Amino acid sequence: MLDGSFTVKVDEKGRVKIPSDFRKLIQDRFGNGDFYVTSVQGDCARLYPAHVWQGVLERINAEPPSRPAVRKFRRGTSYYGQRASVDPQGRLLIHPRLRNDASLDEEVVVIGQRDYLEVWNHKKFKETMQADPMKPEEEDYLASRGL
């Protein structure tokens, strides 16, 4: 399970170094360093191990294509999507279109999301969290689930 976060830098060629703790977990669980790098809305990059992305495709393809959420998901992930492999130094290239739209330059935060990673502009992520804080009813829901 990919949990936690790390702050890293994006280099001048647009590569993000996958934190070694995450790399080890991904290697142990999924094997190779092949990824599908994408986004739904262009606000952050989602780094899916290739095996996980295949499962996402199977689930989304089982959904009715006429559903707006399905169309938007497919549209965004296709527009921003690319296959990429981790290089020997543990870096992964993020396509310029996604890098620009998500402002993934210099300092970014890599966040574990169970079976994929998100990469956010660090400042933008903090602003997003502050703009949408946990509401009392959300805290109550989580408490009712023992969380």
Side-chain angles (χ1 to χ4, degrees):
M1 180 112 35
L2 301 170
D3 290 319
S5 69
F6 297 89
T7 302
V8 299
K9 301 265 185 197
V10 174
D11 71 14
E12 67 283 346
K13 294 182 180 180
R15 299 172 298 192
V16 63
K17 186 162 184 151
I18 306 299
S20 59
D21 288 358
F22 285 152
R23 268 197 336 266
K24 177 155 180 30
L25 286 169
I26 290 167
Q27 180 73 29
D28 291 349
R29 187 162 177 209
F30 304 112
N32 67 23
D34 292 335
F35 283 81
Y36 190 72
V37 179
T38 191
S39 185
V40 177
Q41 301 183 122
D43 53 351
C44 70
R46 291 185 180 188
L47 313 180
Y48 289 93
H51 178 76
V52 173
W53 181 248
Q54 187 59 41
V56 169
L57 286 178
E58 290 168 9
R59 288 189 304 278
I60 201 74
N61 287 336
E63 293 292 323
S66 59
R67 285 224 157 127
V70 171
R71 276 197 321 271
K72 290 174 185 177
F73 182 86
R74 285 184 178 167
R75 186 180 301 139
T77 57
S78 291
Y79 179 72
Y80 289 111
Q82 70 170 25
R83 298 194 185 284
S85 296
V86 175
D87 71 13
Q89 289 75 40
R91 299 171 302 194
L92 191 67
L93 179 66
I94 298 176
H95 190 278
R97 176 186 301 145
L98 177 53
R99 215 170 48 242
N100 291 334
D101 286 2
S103 302
L104 300 177
D105 49 13
E106 298 188 23
E107 190 173 81
V108 297
V109 61
V110 181
I111 303 169
Q113 294 291 344
R114 299 184 71 189
D115 59 357
Y116 69 94
L117 301 171
E118 285 184 346
V119 180
W120 285 83
N121 172 291
H122 198 188
K123 182 180 175 188
K124 193 174 181 182
F125 182 75
K126 288 170 72 174
E127 290 170 355
T128 299
M129 287 192 53
Q130 290 170 351
D132 189 20
M134 182 84 66
K135 296 173 182 70
E137 60 272 14
E138 294 166 332
E139 288 178 1
D140 291 344
Y141 172 80
L142 293 174
S144 75
R145 301 293 191 266
L147 301 172

